[in-house]
Amino acid sequence: MDIKEYIDDFPEIADRERHEQFELLEQARDTSFTPPAKRLFQMYCWLLPVFMIIGLGGVLYSVFGYGSWLPLVAIVIGLIISRQMISQRRKALMQRGLQQVLATSKAG
């Protein structure tokens, strides 16, 4: 996971130097993405698009009936929505890890 995209993204550490943000974000990643949590997140990343496409295809089928365009629309929209949901979940996990790291550094 590339944590460079999260530099200057969290207001708690935005005022710090970039290298310090990078170190804190690495610690946050290590805190949030432990091996069991990483496996669950990977499963989430695989299953969410599948269920999103199937669910969206079912909704479109029930509303519009079958059309040759239906699978393509379900795949495109399902992948876009699931990618957005995965990004939001990854950011929320990083936020939680960052809060834990900051709380630990203040306490210690």
Side-chain angles (χ1 to χ4, degrees), residues 5-60:
E5 65 186 83
Y6 296 110
I7 291 181
D8 294 330
D9 197 29
F10 297 111
E12 300 95 282
I13 60 171
D15 59 337
R16 299 183 186 205
E17 295 289 328
R18 293 179 71 81
H19 67 86
E20 187 179 355
Q21 287 185 45
F22 190 80
E23 291 171 3
L24 288 170
L25 290 170
E26 280 183 328
Q27 292 173 8
R29 179 194 59 204
D30 294 341
T31 300
S32 294
F33 292 96
T34 60
K38 191 173 183 178
R39 282 192 296 274
L40 283 174
F41 185 73
Q42 287 173 342
M43 189 168 42
Y44 176 77
C45 290
W46 281 96
L47 293 177
L48 182 66
V50 171
F51 289 132
M52 189 64 65
I53 291 168
I54 291 171
L56 191 57
V59 168
L60 289 173

